[in-house]
């Protein structure tokens, strides 16, 4: 073992490696010095940067997969927001951002594709639905989100023609856990679209791996 000398510049939070409170856990972190407003702001900015990067990258993937499979709508899960609804909205914005052809790495570009995205955290599963303007006559964004949330006793936070948001709180007494309910809700979202003829019937699994986010479920 190397000595536990806190050499890494001045990073006081990492000094007490074994201390339970060093990470500022909610459970017993009351006595440890709370992070300053500047620290919290920096953490938030760093996290937002990751969320936007993940969203931009996924937007490109969705555009490619949807164009290839002729899909108008897409449902998938996002990791970086970790159940934070505000961050998941930023994720959606990054997916929909217009691609800048002058940039080396393409980002976004899926604003013409309707989407419902899910992000699991410890306390809740955040859900954001998006319907582009040219598809709003075919599909009500609020109705789509409400139906999907209702399937797991979730709550709608906001509805609009283009973006609607909501969440399902963790409830261990009822066996409601974000990671457990995420896939059934993605299926629910796709089935709602199928009933309206907006999503292809299950005739193979070439698209499903990506749509259903199976890669997020290592053999359970």
């Amino acid at each position: 073992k190397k000595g536990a000398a806190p050499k890494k510049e001045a990073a006081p939070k990492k000094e007490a490696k074994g201390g339970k409170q060093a990470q500022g856990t909610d459970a017993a972190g009351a006595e440890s010095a709370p992070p300053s407003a500047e620290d919290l702001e920096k953490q938030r900015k760093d996290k937002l940067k990751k969320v936007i990067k993940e969203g931009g990258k996924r937007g490109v993937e969705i555009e490619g997969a949807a164009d290839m499979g002729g899909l108008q709508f897409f449902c998938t899960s996002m990791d970086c927001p970790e159940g934070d609804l505000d961050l998941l909205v930023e994720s959606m914005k990054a997916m929909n951002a217009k691609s800048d052809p002058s940039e080396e790495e393409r980002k976004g570009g899926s604003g013409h594709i309707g989407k419902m995205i899910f992000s699991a955290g410890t306390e809740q599963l955040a859900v954001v639905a998006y319907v582009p303007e040219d598809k709003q006559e075919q599909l009500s964004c609020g109705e789509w989100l409400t139906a999907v949330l209702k399937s797991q006793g979730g709550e709608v936070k906001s509805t609009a023609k283009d973006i609607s948001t909501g969440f399902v709180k963790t409830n261990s007494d009822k066996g409601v856990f974000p990671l457990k309910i995420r896939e059934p809700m993605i299926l629910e979202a796709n089935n709602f679209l199928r009933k309206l003829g907006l999503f292809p019937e299950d005739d193979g699994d070439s698209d499903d791996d990506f749509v259903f986010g199976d890669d997020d479920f290592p053999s359970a």
Side-chain angles (χ1 to χ4, degrees), residues 56-184:
K57 194 174 167 213
R58 190 65 62 87
V60 172
E61 289 170 4
I62 285 176
E63 183 195 24
D67 287 353
M68 207 164 55
L71 298 174
Q72 309 172 65
F73 291 89
F74 226 86
C75 302
T76 190
S77 59
M78 306 300 287
D79 296 325
C80 289
E82 295 178 318
D84 184 310
L85 196 51
D86 293 336
L87 287 175
L88 193 58
V89 170
E90 293 302 325
S91 182
M92 182 68 87
K93 286 179 185 169
M95 289 169 139
N96 292 341
K98 282 191 174 159
S99 286
D100 182 349
S102 65
E103 283 188 344
E104 207 173 305
E105 196 183 349
R106 282 187 68 227
K107 295 190 283 284
S110 67
H112 59 297
I113 297 156
K115 289 179 282 296
M116 191 176 289
I117 57 175
F118 301 75
S119 182
T122 47
E123 292 174 19
Q124 67 179 24
L125 179 74
V127 189
V128 176
Y130 162 75
V131 178
E133 199 175 340
D134 65 344
K135 295 185 175 69
Q136 287 166 10
E137 283 190 15
Q138 297 165 276
L139 176 69
S140 158
C141 189
E143 275 177 29
W144 186 27
L145 180 77
T146 303
V148 174
L149 288 171
K150 207 158 65 171
S151 70
Q152 296 290 345
E155 220 175 289
V156 175
K157 190 181 176 195
S158 68
T159 58
K161 283 184 173 181
D162 53 352
I163 288 185
S164 298
T165 68
F167 55 85
V168 183
K169 287 283 182 196
T170 301
N171 186 332
S172 46
D173 296 340
K174 292 184 179 173
V176 176
F177 298 100
L179 283 171
K180 188 176 161 190
I181 62 172
R182 182 175 61 184
E183 190 175 18

Side-chain angles (χ1 to χ4, degrees), residues 43-51 80-82 87:
Q43 282 171 21
R44 183 87 183 167
K45 276 186 179 162
D46 288 349
K47 182 141 190 174
L48 181 58
K49 212 180 271 182
K50 285 181 188 164
V51 165
C80 289
E82 295 178 318
L87 287 175

Side-chain angles (χ1 to χ4, degrees), residues 3-48:
K7 268 185 183 167
K8 294 179 186 169
E9 280 134 36
K13 273 183 232 119
K14 288 179 188 164
E15 277 177 25
K17 231 184 176 179
K20 285 175 197 146
Q21 294 167 3
Q23 301 294 60
T25 52
D26 290 343
E31 278 100 300
S32 63
S36 70
E38 284 168 18
D39 284 347
L40 288 171
E41 182 62 24
K42 186 180 183 309
Q43 282 171 21
R44 183 87 183 167
K45 276 186 179 162
D46 288 349
K47 182 141 190 174
L48 181 58

